[in-house]
Amino acid sequence: MFSDPALDRHFTGHSGSITQLRFSPEGSQIATSSLDASVILWNLNQAARCIRFGSHAAPVYGVSWSPKGNLVASAGHDRTVKIWEPKVRGVSGEFVAHSKPVRSIDFDPTGHMMLTASDDKSVKMWRVAKRQFISSFAQQTNWVRAAKFSPNGKMIATVCDDKSLRIYDVNTGECVRTFTEERAAPRQVAWHPWGNMVAVALGCNRIKIFDVAASQLLQLYVVHSAPVNDVAFHPSGHFLLSGSDDCTIRILDLLEGRPIYTLTGHTDAVNAVGFSQNGEKFATGGNDRQLLVWQSNLHTYDASKFEAKSALASSSCDTSAASSYQQSNASSTAQSNDRSIRIDMRQSQAYKSLDENFQVLDSEHTKQPQTPKSASKSSSATTLSGRPSSRGNSLVAKELVFKPRSPSPRFFQ
């Protein structure tokens, strides 16, 4: 049965803008980083057991889950990377990764390596178990906004304020592709699940999708009226989610090459978007400090039924009966043929029944013992009462198993 995306949960809890969000691998938790110097783990199954990790001393810009979900890494303005167990009495460790603020952090598919991008113009790769530096990718000439491993872990994509998208070979460290944008710098990058394409969110209100192997632009979307801050592919590879300074979220049908949904309700810029690993849910967050969790329903999507519903919504004069289905009103010529369905989340019961009376537990992460190869100092997480934690357990890195994806045919032909 064809269904539109629907708001499922509505959370507030951060006192500053949400900068990034990531679903846990099994999909039951969401980690959000914030300018309020904290990371919150939102438990979707039990809202009363959300956890706030407040060990950073400054705004947190990036967060990432290990592939098995047994570790979370976060990084921010204090130049440090924190690696911690996602539970109240977990263990944590930290190291100073860069000489300037760290903008993003990402685990490789095995969970053994980690990638950090910084305002010091470099991208660095680290060995997780020992917090040990491996190599640097430093051809950028300005702040690096994001760096991501490809799905097979063999390549790295970086976006930088020098208006570049660069693709690196992990084994050789060589920059094998460079795409330069003339209008504005890219703000975020995402790998297609098949590993042969990347999407870039641009400060000039555009979204571009590139074929990495062929080194060419595949698709260009002008569907936002302000800079685009984040993009995320649906696990099927057929849809793209985007968030923008224009306060809207867009869902694009990549096979048809068009926007299909415009989601409204955020009252400020949308900085972070992301799908769960099975694609059944997606989440959005931004400057209004709200975390919104949606049922994607994209597994039910039918292009022909969408056409009929979109036509009905655009021709209907009964706004009371079709308040959730209004055709997007765009002023620009590029958006004049936009027949996407507009969904205002504020009309939903989930939005009105705000999850705000839950208990956020400050984590009691213990300090990880120093090793000769570890960098600088340990974490200084405190308990809810403000007393330093005194446990001395060590952080043990476990072997992770990664099964490579089967090859799939390309699209956008």
Side-chain angles (χ1 to χ4, degrees):
M1 188 68 169
F2 173 43
S3 301
D4 298 319
L7 187 66
D8 185 39
R9 302 289 292 276
H10 179 200
F11 293 105
T12 60
H14 280 295
S15 60
S17 301
I18 294 173
T19 55
Q20 195 169 78
L21 65 85
R22 293 288 183 268
F23 278 87
S24 61
E26 84 289 348
S28 65
Q29 291 180 288
I30 298 174
T32 54
S33 57
S34 171
L35 294 184
D36 65 14
S38 75
V39 174
I40 294 182
L41 303 185
W42 310 87
N43 191 325
L44 302 183
N45 297 332
Q46 187 182 12
R49 296 293 293 179
C50 298
I51 302 171
R52 177 188 286 113
F53 180 71
S55 185
H56 283 278
V60 187
Y61 298 132
V63 66
S64 182
W65 291 84
S66 65
K68 278 194 172 180
N70 60 325
L71 295 174
V72 174
S74 54
H77 195 82
D78 59 9
R79 301 177 292 120
T80 67
V81 169
K82 316 281 186 180
I83 304 174
W84 43 286
E85 293 180 329
K87 52 189 178 182
V88 176
R89 299 181 183 274
V91 175
S92 72
E94 75 167 30
F95 61 95
V96 176
H98 290 268
S99 60
K100 290 187 178 180
V102 185
R103 292 286 170 179
S104 81
I105 189 161
D106 190 43
F107 281 95
D108 86 319
T110 69
H112 296 155
M113 295 185 295
M114 194 167 55
L115 206 59
T116 56
S118 169
D119 287 358
D120 66 10
K121 306 177 186 179
S122 73
V123 174
K124 295 181 180 180
M125 189 162 60
W126 307 85
R127 186 165 286 109
V128 174
K130 298 181 179 180
R131 296 173 289 171
Q132 183 181 42
F133 172 77
I134 299 174
S135 60
S136 181
F137 307 88
Q139 292 194 15
Q140 296 80 207
T141 60
N142 209 321
W143 293 3
V144 188
R145 292 291 177 176
K148 301 281 183 65
F149 282 105
S150 63
N152 64 7
K154 294 182 178 180
M155 291 186 289
I156 291 169
T158 71
V159 287
C160 177
D161 278 8
D162 64 10
K163 299 183 180 179
S164 72
L165 159 67
R166 288 182 170 86
I167 308 297
Y168 291 93
D169 183 292
V170 170
N171 292 327
T172 66
E174 179 185 358
C175 180
V176 295
R177 296 284 187 277
T178 301
F179 303 89
T180 303
E181 177 61 37
E182 295 181 359
R183 291 172 177 261
R187 297 189 170 191
Q188 190 56 265
V189 64
W191 283 93
H192 190 276
W194 300 348
N196 57 344
M197 291 167 279
V198 293
V200 179
L202 293 164
C204 57
N205 313 351
R206 299 181 169 201
I207 299 167
K208 288 186 176 182
I209 300 177
F210 293 95
D211 183 321
V212 173
S215 192
Q216 65 180 8
L217 177 67
L218 291 175
Q219 288 190 336
L220 166 65
Y221 293 94
V222 187
V223 294
H224 287 286
S225 59
V228 187
N229 296 317
D230 200 9
V231 287
F233 283 103
H234 186 268
S236 69
H238 297 161
F239 305 97
L240 186 75
L241 183 67
S242 63
S244 167
D245 279 356
D246 65 12
C247 309
T248 68
I249 305 137
R250 306 283 287 204
I251 300 178
L252 309 177
D253 179 347
L254 302 181
L255 297 179
E256 296 289 332
R258 64 182 180 184
I260 52 176
Y261 291 105
T262 302
L263 309 179
T264 64
H266 277 286
T267 58
D268 208 333
V270 181
N271 299 327
V273 299
F275 281 103
S276 62
Q277 202 165 81
N278 60 12
E280 293 181 0
K281 295 180 184 293
F282 64 87
T284 62
N287 287 354
D288 60 6
R289 307 187 300 278
Q290 298 182 93
L291 173 66
L292 302 169
V293 185
W294 304 73
Q295 292 286 346
S296 75
N297 294 324
L298 290 174
H299 65 287
T300 71
Y301 179 76
D302 184 299
S304 60
K305 292 181 180 179
F306 172 84
E307 283 284 358
K309 180 176 283 191
S310 176
L312 178 64
S314 62
S315 62
S316 175
C317 296
D318 184 2
T319 57
S320 62
S323 59
S324 295
Y325 304 107
Q326 301 171 5
Q327 185 179 11
S328 299
N329 295 318
S331 58
S332 67
T333 304
Q335 294 178 326
S336 61
N337 295 321
D338 181 4
R339 295 175 62 86
S340 66
I341 292 175
R342 182 176 291 267
I343 300 176
D344 187 344
M345 68 182 85
R346 291 168 294 189
Q347 303 297 321
S348 69
Q349 188 60 39
Y351 187 86
K352 296 172 184 177
S353 59
L354 170 64
D355 285 312
E356 60 182 353
N357 296 318
F358 56 87
Q359 181 183 12
V360 178
L361 303 174
D362 284 343
S363 62
E364 296 180 352
H365 286 68
T366 63
K367 296 180 180 180
Q368 180 180 0
Q370 290 289 342
T371 63
K373 293 183 180 179
S374 297
S376 75
K377 55 186 179 179
S378 292
S379 171
S380 56
T382 59
T383 65
L384 187 60
S385 62
R387 296 188 298 270
S389 179
S390 59
R391 294 179 181 83
N393 299 329
S394 61
L395 181 64
V396 180
K398 297 182 179 179
E399 195 73 19
L400 303 179
V401 179
F402 172 69
K403 297 180 179 179
R405 300 176 185 271
S406 58
S408 303
R410 289 176 52 203
F411 63 105
F412 306 131
Q413 297 294 335

